[in-house]
């Protein structure tokens, strides 16, 4: 008991001190918790807080040098993809052509010497991607792409890549603003050596050298249940409440249900959401509008698009730190929206939101290479043919000593049998 009396006041004191001490640093160091493009607004105007262009921006930057060597770039001071997007905002007079390609030469185009590559975690339609660069490509064919490559030559060409069918598209613009982009990626960046390779006929990033990654601590905030009850059910005249051992469930006469688990997970079910389009472009636009109206500003501030499942009409968003996704905040990411029975929408999200980064005092974590990872999985009985993606990511872990502090531990996540799994946990339990 005495220990708790000392620990809790100490943690609260630290939280207050850190809040003041880091307020200024957040303004100049938005890469951890990207607020560089936010507008000051109330919770009733969520869309102004983070524009759609940021939610659907690329999440990763790879630099390919003249020598062909490649590096994942990170920057603790600014968000690289946001800064690069600003340099691309004035692209004019786009001319679109398809380049002849196949699986054999697809990597050759991806490995273009002296270029920068912008990667999405999953395929997106070009009309959504166009939001990232001030709708410069909105009139072009609405192809689905995973990557953008900008050569640092005088061609004024950029290339779009679709991993699922190895399509390559060239867009010629009046000026690619190479000098502006080069300045962004050369200033105060950290470079991790990588190679673009194929795994089971899908491009992936091979971290072929061992490297270290920083750990982070974050103060978190838990939004009150009353906030969401008021926001989502305030137009209802009759609301029933059922309290269970591990959850509280609200229902109304409009067939809407709002369920809160004790651990902070939220499920919201709306059986009459209005017109729902299953067209990918419209679905993602509607999803952005819906989550903008649903979430508090701090939740929306740091999420990015992560995955879209056309078969199940489902979209997943995750929090990102310096271009790397956070796993296990909840089983479904930061927020998931999916269509149920073609008539209803279901949302899964969390009451817990990241607030302020705090020093952990811990050494950087050393990570093995992806080749070592694959060999270890094979030795533990996993089939390499069932691996379709490997993500360098952060593991969200609650802190036992405090409910306002969490840690983010860098680690590998492997997409195995269609599901992302923590690499360390895969080794400990073996194939299921």
């Amino acid at each position: 008991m005495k220990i708790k009396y000392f620990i809790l006041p100490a943690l609260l004191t630290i939280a207050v001190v850190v809040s003041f001490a880091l307020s200024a640093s957040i303004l100049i160091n938005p890469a951890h918790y990207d607020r560089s493009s936010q507008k000051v607004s109330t919770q009733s105007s969520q869309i102004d807080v983070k524009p759609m262009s940021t939610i659907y921006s690329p999440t990763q930057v790879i630099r390919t040098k003249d020598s062909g060597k490649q590096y994942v770039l990170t920057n603790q001071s600014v968000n690289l993809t946001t800064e690069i997007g600003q340099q691309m905002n004035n692209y004019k007079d786009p001319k679109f052509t398809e380049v002849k390609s196949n699986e054999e030469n697809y990597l050759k185009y991806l490995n273009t010497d002296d270029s920068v590559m912008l990667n999405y975690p999953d395929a997106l339609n070009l009309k959504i991607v166009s939001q990232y660069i001030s709708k410069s490509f909105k009139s072009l064919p609405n192809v689905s792409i995973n990557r953008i490559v900008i050569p640092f030559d005088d061609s004024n060409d950029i290339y779009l890549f679709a991993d699922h069918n190895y399509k390559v598209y060239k867009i010629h613009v009046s000026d690619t603003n190479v000098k502006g982009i080069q300045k962004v990626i050369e200033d105060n960046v950290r470079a991790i050596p990588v190679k673009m390779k194929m795994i089971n006929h899908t491009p992936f990033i091979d971290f072929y050298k061992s490297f270290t990654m920083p750990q982070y601590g974050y103060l978190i905030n838990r939004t009150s249940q009353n906030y969401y009850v008021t926001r989502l059910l305030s137009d209802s005249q009759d609301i029933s409440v059922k309290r269970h051992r591990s959850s509280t469930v609200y229902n109304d006469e409009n067939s809407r249900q709002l369920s809160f688990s004790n651990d902070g997970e939220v499920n919201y079910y709306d059986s009459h959401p209005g017109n729902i389009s299953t067209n990918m472009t419209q679905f993602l636009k509607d999803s952005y509008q819906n989550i903008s109206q649903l979430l508090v500003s701090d939740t929306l501030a740091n999420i990015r698009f992560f995955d879209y499942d056309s078969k199940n009409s489902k979209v997943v968003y995750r929090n990102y730190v310096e271009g790397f996704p956070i796993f296990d905040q909840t089983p479904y990411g930061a927020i998931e929206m999916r269509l149920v029975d073609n008539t209803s929408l279901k949302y899964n999200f969390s009451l817990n939101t990241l607030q302020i980064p705090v020093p952990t005092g811990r050494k950087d974590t050393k990570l093995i290479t992806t080749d070592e990872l694959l060999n270890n999985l094979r030795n533990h009985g996993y089939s390499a043919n069932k691996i379709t993606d490997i993500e360098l990511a952060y593991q969200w872990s609650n802190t036992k000593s405090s409910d306002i502090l969490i840690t983010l531990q860098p680690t590998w996540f492997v997409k195995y049998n269609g599901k992302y799994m923590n690499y360390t946990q895969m080794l400990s339990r073996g194939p299921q």
Side-chain angles (χ1 to χ4, degrees):
M1 293 296 292
K2 290 182 178 180
I3 293 176
K4 288 186 177 180
Y5 288 136
F6 283 110
I7 289 177
L8 290 178
L11 287 171
L12 291 174
T13 301
I14 290 171
V16 172
V17 172
V18 169
S19 297
F20 285 108
L22 294 182
S23 293
S25 67
I26 291 174
L27 294 176
I28 62 174
N29 185 7
H32 294 311
Y33 191 56
D34 179 25
R35 297 174 181 267
S36 59
S37 61
Q38 290 184 46
K39 300 177 182 178
V40 178
S41 66
T42 64
Q43 289 182 346
S44 63
S45 57
Q46 302 299 319
I47 297 177
D48 291 336
V49 175
K50 186 65 70 171
M52 187 164 73
S53 58
T54 304
I55 301 298
Y56 292 113
S57 68
T59 57
Q60 190 175 63
V61 180
I62 293 181
R63 172 73 163 105
T64 304
K65 296 290 189 70
D66 284 331
S67 61
K69 291 185 176 180
Q70 295 179 306
Y71 303 87
V72 167
L73 303 183
T74 66
N75 190 319
Q76 292 188 341
S77 299
V78 299
N79 186 295
L80 285 178
T81 58
T82 299
E83 296 295 315
I84 292 173
Q86 291 174 356
Q87 299 300 318
M88 300 169 68
N89 276 347
N90 293 320
Y91 282 6
K92 297 178 181 178
D93 305 321
K95 296 178 177 59
F96 178 95
T97 57
E98 182 175 338
V99 178
K100 187 175 182 180
S101 65
N102 52 43
E103 183 178 356
E104 292 181 2
N105 63 16
Y106 190 70
L107 275 179
K108 178 181 177 181
Y109 288 112
L110 286 178
N111 295 331
T112 300
D113 290 345
D114 196 19
S115 67
V116 66
M117 180 190 299
L118 306 174
N119 289 332
Y120 284 94
D122 197 14
L124 279 177
N125 293 137
L126 190 53
K127 288 190 183 301
I128 298 292
V129 173
S130 184
Q131 301 281 337
Y132 171 62
I133 46 179
S134 296
K135 304 181 181 179
S136 300
F137 298 158
K138 64 180 180 180
S139 62
L140 299 180
N142 196 25
V143 295
S144 180
I145 69 164
N146 300 79
R147 313 173 195 277
I148 303 171
V149 170
I150 308 167
F152 289 160
D153 54 22
D154 58 0
S155 66
N156 288 323
D157 294 330
I158 72 171
Y159 294 85
L160 312 178
F161 295 83
D163 289 350
H164 72 285
N165 56 8
Y166 314 115
K167 293 287 187 180
V168 179
Y169 309 99
K170 182 174 73 173
I171 300 179
H172 181 82
V173 296
S174 57
D175 183 6
T176 52
N177 193 17
V178 167
K179 290 184 178 179
I181 297 173
Q182 285 176 321
K183 187 176 187 305
V184 169
I185 66 172
E186 290 172 0
D187 187 19
N188 196 31
V189 298
R190 181 190 183 203
I192 305 173
V194 296
K195 294 178 182 177
M196 290 298 301
K197 296 175 66 175
M198 286 282 190
I199 179 170
N200 294 324
H201 308 286
T202 302
F204 89 108
I205 300 167
D206 176 22
F207 291 79
Y208 63 91
K209 288 186 177 181
S210 181
F211 60 100
T212 61
M213 290 283 288
Q215 301 180 53
Y216 293 113
Y218 268 86
L219 296 179
I220 62 170
N221 179 61
R222 175 169 287 199
T223 307
S224 70
Q225 294 183 11
N226 287 339
Y227 172 82
Y228 286 110
V229 173
T230 301
R231 193 175 188 87
L232 300 174
L233 305 178
S234 61
D235 60 342
S236 300
Q237 300 298 319
D238 183 19
I239 300 176
S240 65
V241 183
K242 293 184 179 180
R243 303 187 187 280
H244 307 280
R245 178 175 296 181
S246 60
S247 65
T248 303
V249 181
Y250 296 80
N251 289 278
D252 72 356
E253 75 278 6
N254 296 318
S255 299
R256 291 177 297 187
Q257 183 180 88
L258 186 59
S259 174
F260 300 95
S261 298
N262 292 346
D263 60 5
E265 292 182 20
V266 186
N267 295 290
Y268 174 56
Y269 178 82
D270 186 356
S271 63
H272 301 292
N275 293 329
I276 305 173
S277 174
T278 55
N279 171 270
M280 178 181 181
T281 302
Q282 191 59 48
F283 184 83
L284 293 178
K285 287 181 178 180
D286 292 343
S287 175
Y288 163 74
Q289 296 287 342
N290 290 339
I291 66 171
S292 296
Q293 298 298 330
L294 173 69
L295 299 179
V296 296
S297 57
D298 282 344
T299 304
L300 188 65
N302 201 37
I303 69 169
R304 299 289 185 274
F305 165 78
F306 181 77
D307 177 67
Y308 171 72
D309 181 350
S310 59
K311 182 181 295 185
N312 297 305
S313 294
K314 180 179 73 173
V315 58
V316 175
Y317 303 88
R318 292 189 182 277
N319 281 297
Y320 274 77
V321 173
E322 292 187 31
F324 302 107
I326 296 174
F327 282 81
D328 289 347
Q329 176 183 2
T330 66
Y332 38 77
I335 180 168
E336 174 188 284
M337 189 189 87
R338 61 187 175 94
L339 185 60
V340 181
D341 299 329
N342 294 318
T343 59
S344 307
L345 287 176
K346 185 175 182 180
Y347 304 81
N348 301 93
F349 56 99
S350 176
L351 294 177
N352 298 323
T353 58
L354 295 174
Q355 293 294 299
I356 301 174
V358 296
T360 64
R362 300 177 182 176
K363 292 183 179 180
D364 289 356
T365 301
K366 186 176 182 180
L367 294 166
I368 62 173
T369 68
T370 44
D371 275 348
E372 290 176 295
L373 177 151
L374 290 169
N375 288 333
N376 290 341
L377 289 177
R378 292 189 192 99
N379 292 336
H380 280 74
Y382 288 94
S383 171
N385 293 332
K386 296 180 180 180
I387 297 173
T388 53
D389 190 25
I390 301 172
E391 285 277 355
L392 176 57
Y394 277 92
Q395 169 88 43
W396 174 300
S397 299
N398 295 319
T399 304
K400 293 182 180 179
S401 59
S402 172
D403 60 358
I404 63 169
L405 183 66
I406 62 102
T407 59
L408 298 178
Q409 176 77 28
T411 187
W412 296 108
F413 274 79
V414 180
K415 193 172 187 179
Y416 188 80
N417 259 348
K419 180 181 179 181
Y420 281 98
M421 304 168 65
N422 183 300
Y423 159 74
T424 304
Q425 294 174 2
M426 292 176 72
L427 295 187
S428 63
R429 65 190 179 193
Q432 301 299 306

